[in-house]
Amino acid sequence: MKSLAELKAIKEKMKGQVDMRAENEGNIRVVVGMATCGIAAGARPVLQKMAALVNEKNLTGVTVTQTGCIGLCRYEPIVEVHEPGKEKVTYINMDENKAAEVVEKHLAGGNPITEYTINESDLVK
Amino acid sequence: MTEISLNVLDIAQNSVKAKASLIEIEVEINTLQDFLTVIIKDNGTGMGERELMRVTDPFFTTRTTREVGLGVSLFKMSAEMTGGSFEITSKQGEGTCVKAKYILSSIDRMPLGDICATIETLMVYNTHIDFIYNYQIDGEGFSLSTLEMKEILDGVPLDTPDVAQYIRDYLGENTNAVNKGQIL
C-alpha cells in the first residue's frame, strides 16, 4: 500500500519553485465540458488525455480545466480553446485520439484543426 | 453512463455546484452480503423539500443551458435496476447526501469502472474543495483525504503535475492492493 510519506518529498521538491502558470498572462485555457452529457459521452478520458499530454510536452502556457454543460449536448464531448486575442475554438465529438491531435497541432503547433470544430461538421450534417 | 464511476463523477459535480467545501465519497463492496454502495455526501447549500421531491425527475434541472437534468435520475435508475435502492436526503444550508445501493451480482449492475480516474479528476480539478475518499471491500480498504494532503503539501497546489501523478499512483496502487485481482 502506498502511503502519504512520499508526498513530503514532492513538497520539498516543489516548494522552492515559483508557480509559473499562475503568473503567465498569455495563457491558453482549454475547457472540457463535464456535465452529465459530457461525462456520458466520454469527456473524462478526453480531459485526462489532454492534461497528461500538456504536462508531458511541458506546455507551461496552457491550462486545462473543466466546466459544466455548454448547451450543445449532442456534440459532446466538447473542448473549447480560449486564447487571448483570438476567437474561441470549439471542438466537438471529441475522443482521446482527437484530443491528442489537438494538443499536438493546435496547443503546441498553433494551428487549430478545423476538421473537428463545430462549424465544419455542422455543414456536413 | 456505462460505469458507476461516471455516475459518481457526475453526481459530485452537483456538490461542486452547490458550493460545498467538503465532499465525502465512499464506495463499499461486500461480496458476502452481495452489495456495492456508493455514498456522496456534501456540505453545500442543500435543497428545500420541494426541490428535493423533484430532483429525481429527469425534467427538473436548475441549469439554464438545457431543460433536462438526467444526472440524479440516471444514478437512481442504475441502482434500482439491479434490485438495489436509492436514497437522497438534503437540508437547506446543511448539505446533501446521496446513497445508491447496487446488488453486486445482478446482471444489470454496470461495472464500477475507473473509480480512480473519477476521484483523481475531482481532486485535481477542484482544488478549492476538500475531498475525503473511502474505498472498502469486505472490510479491507483505504482512504485518501485532500485535507491531509494539503497539510503535508503546505501550499503546494494539488494540481501541480507531480502531485496529480502521486494522487493517480496512490489511488491506483491501493485499489489494486485491495481488489486482489477481482474485477468489479
Side-chain angles (χ1 to χ4, degrees):
Chain A
M1 287 265 223
K2 208 171 170 70
S3 77
L4 286 173
E6 290 164 55
L7 207 53
K8 284 203 179 72
I10 296 174
K11 185 205 102 183
E12 297 309 329
K13 186 180 148 204
M14 302 310 297
K15 197 61 189 165
Q17 299 178 17
V18 186
D19 191 5
M20 298 295 284
R21 287 177 304 164
E23 291 175 8
N24 210 327
E25 278 283 310
N27 243 341
I28 297 178
R29 221 160 46 84
V30 180
V31 181
V32 183
M34 291 281 278
T36 308
C37 45
I39 293 170
R44 188 181 65 189
V46 168
L47 175 75
Q48 287 198 305
K49 186 81 180 181
M50 294 195 89
L53 288 176
V54 162
N55 182 30
E56 201 177 286
K57 293 179 187 296
N58 204 18
L59 305 174
T60 48
V62 180
T63 318
V64 183
T65 59
Q66 58 173 22
T67 187
C69 178
I70 295 164
L72 301 163
C73 307
R74 65 187 179 283
Y75 295 126
E76 294 281 358
I78 298 176
V79 174
E80 293 180 341
V81 178
H82 302 260
E83 200 171 342
K86 288 188 184 168
E87 208 174 315
K88 174 181 81 181
V89 178
T90 305
Y91 291 108
I92 60 170
N93 298 324
M94 292 295 280
D95 58 33
E96 280 183 272
N97 295 334
K98 289 181 185 173
E101 227 180 300
V102 167
V103 173
E104 179 78 44
K105 293 185 180 154
H106 186 174
L107 304 179
N111 300 310
I113 310 170
T114 48
E115 200 188 323
Y116 302 153
T117 59
I118 191 157
N119 309 324
E120 195 78 13
S121 39
D122 264 349
L123 293 174
V124 177
K125 273 174 193 169
Chain B
M1 301 277 174
T2 50
E3 298 174 7
I4 294 173
S5 72
L6 290 175
N7 282 288
V8 175
L9 178 60
D10 188 28
I11 297 304
Q13 304 283 5
N14 294 341
S15 302
V16 173
K17 287 247 171 60
K19 301 187 178 70
S21 63
L22 179 68
I23 303 173
E24 293 167 73
I25 298 172
E26 190 185 308
V27 176
E28 187 193 352
I29 295 155
N30 191 315
T31 54
L32 282 174
Q33 291 175 34
D34 197 28
F35 68 75
L36 183 160
T37 55
V38 176
I39 300 174
I40 300 151
K41 185 170 175 254
D42 72 54
N43 65 352
T45 51
M47 286 172 282
E49 246 171 77
R50 264 183 83 184
E51 200 178 347
L52 188 59
M53 271 167 60
R54 298 180 62 198
V55 77
T56 55
D57 174 358
F59 296 102
F60 174 73
T61 183
T62 55
R63 84 179 72 249
T64 49
T65 49
R66 55 170 145 82
E67 287 174 348
V68 291
L70 295 175
V72 176
S73 9
L74 286 173
F75 193 32
K76 181 173 187 270
M77 185 189 74
S78 72
E80 287 178 345
M81 66 196 248
T82 68
S85 57
F86 179 86
E87 201 181 298
I88 180 163
T89 51
S90 187
K91 212 164 178 190
Q92 216 142 24
E94 287 181 21
T96 302
C97 182
V98 182
K99 186 175 175 183
K101 186 172 185 174
Y102 297 81
I103 303 302
L104 193 62
S105 62
S106 166
I107 189 99
D108 292 319
R109 180 183 62 84
M110 50 177 78
L112 178 59
D114 198 347
I115 187 73
C116 300
T118 283
I119 302 299
E120 180 208 332
T121 304
L122 286 169
M123 289 179 172
V124 172
Y125 291 96
N126 300 286
T127 51
H128 59 294
I129 300 173
D130 281 306
F131 291 88
I132 298 175
Y133 172 59
N134 203 304
Y135 183 79
Q136 299 278 336
I137 298 186
D138 296 332
E140 202 182 320
F142 70 93
S143 63
L144 183 62
S145 157
T146 58
L147 289 158
E148 267 180 76
M149 282 196 281
K150 281 176 185 171
E151 200 169 308
I152 294 170
L153 286 167
D154 190 24
V156 175
L158 289 176
D159 56 359
T160 312
D162 286 38
V163 179
Q165 182 66 48
Y166 170 83
I167 293 174
R168 190 172 318 142
D169 294 346
Y170 183 100
L171 292 167
E173 283 177 31
N174 289 1
T175 304
N176 282 340
V178 176
N179 281 359
K180 298 193 180 90
Q182 295 178 87
I183 295 163
L184 297 152

